[in-house]
Amino acid sequence: MLKVGLTGGIGAGKSEVSRLLRSYGAVLVDADRIAREVVEPGTPGLDAVVAEFGRDVLAADGTLDRPKLGALVFADAGRRAALNAIVHPLVAARSAELEAEAGDDAVVVHDVPLLAENGLAPLYDTVVVVDASPETQLDRLVRLRGMPESDARARMAAQATREDRLAVADVVLDNDGPLQELEPRVCRLWDDLRRAADRRS
């Protein structure tokens, strides 16, 4: 098994790289998706979030009101740390379960947005950083996602710097250009990962 940590700043294109790798045959462990699962209604995770932040972070249907919670934590490092202390251990446990279910010859790609921030690089055999310039990230967030520029800048500022992400990279995947330039790069990356997994199995 080859354990790959995949990360990148918001708007860098990490989700597209995840999608492509999965289509080639990688076992994808998506930390964002798991983070949503562990705070669904009826879970201990959601109970803990409500205990910490109050019932105001719930929508009318009892689900987590993500925009409201996001507004609280992205502007306040202390509140963000409190949320992470609840969610991260739950995500780690579920990620380990999914990894254990993969075959011995699998390429397991852990899609982890906060890999650099949380010092997780040593957990993986290879760390891949999807890289784009801050100008490109901002443009994508505003133009493609419709995010107000102030919100986009706040989200970017809450993450590791570009330099901090690149410092933990074994492989840097440049995604500063259009999608058609990204796909061949991901295909070559997959070939390299597959070969590395074969050598380990």
Side-chain angles (χ1 to χ4, degrees):
M1 178 186 295
L2 185 73
K3 293 189 280 189
V4 180
L6 177 68
T7 196
I10 186 170
K14 176 180 55 60
S15 296
E16 181 62 18
V17 173
S18 286
R19 185 190 69 77
L20 288 166
L21 288 172
R22 188 177 186 185
S23 76
Y24 299 149
V27 174
L28 182 64
V29 179
D30 185 336
D32 270 352
R33 182 180 59 77
I34 296 169
R36 290 190 291 273
E37 289 177 3
V38 299
V39 291
E40 287 177 349
T43 61
L46 184 59
D47 293 343
V49 170
V50 171
E52 176 68 33
F53 294 94
R55 299 195 65 81
D56 285 349
V57 298
L58 293 178
D61 63 358
T63 60
L64 188 62
D65 186 331
R66 293 181 178 283
K68 187 173 285 187
L69 181 61
L72 285 175
V73 302
F74 279 107
D76 185 329
R79 302 301 274 158
R80 193 161 62 248
L83 178 63
N84 290 343
I86 295 167
V87 175
H88 287 175
L90 298 172
V91 172
R94 180 61 180 141
S95 296
E97 288 175 8
L98 292 171
E99 183 181 282
E101 294 167 6
D104 288 343
D105 64 344
V107 175
V108 181
V109 175
H110 290 261
D111 182 330
V112 186
L114 300 180
L115 186 152
E117 290 84 341
N118 293 320
L120 301 178
L123 298 179
Y124 307 105
D125 300 311
T126 299
V127 173
V128 177
V129 172
V130 184
D131 182 55
S133 69
E135 295 78 16
T136 297
Q137 290 177 260
L138 185 63
D139 174 67
R140 288 174 179 160
L141 294 173
V142 173
R143 184 171 51 84
L144 302 179
R145 296 196 196 178
M147 195 179 286
E149 184 173 333
S150 59
D151 288 359
R153 289 186 182 279
R155 296 288 177 109
M156 290 169 63
Q159 294 188 329
T161 65
R162 185 184 192 185
E163 292 72 25
D164 287 344
R165 277 191 299 274
L166 293 176
V168 301
D170 297 302
V171 178
V172 177
L173 202 58
D174 177 26
N175 189 28
D176 225 22
L179 184 61
Q180 57 266 31
E181 293 179 4
L182 177 66
E183 291 189 32
R185 292 177 183 143
V186 179
C187 190
R188 288 193 295 273
L189 170 66
W190 172 249
D191 288 343
D192 292 343
L193 296 175
R194 184 67 269 167
R195 281 193 294 271
D198 290 344
R199 287 195 295 269
R200 298 175 72 89
S201 60

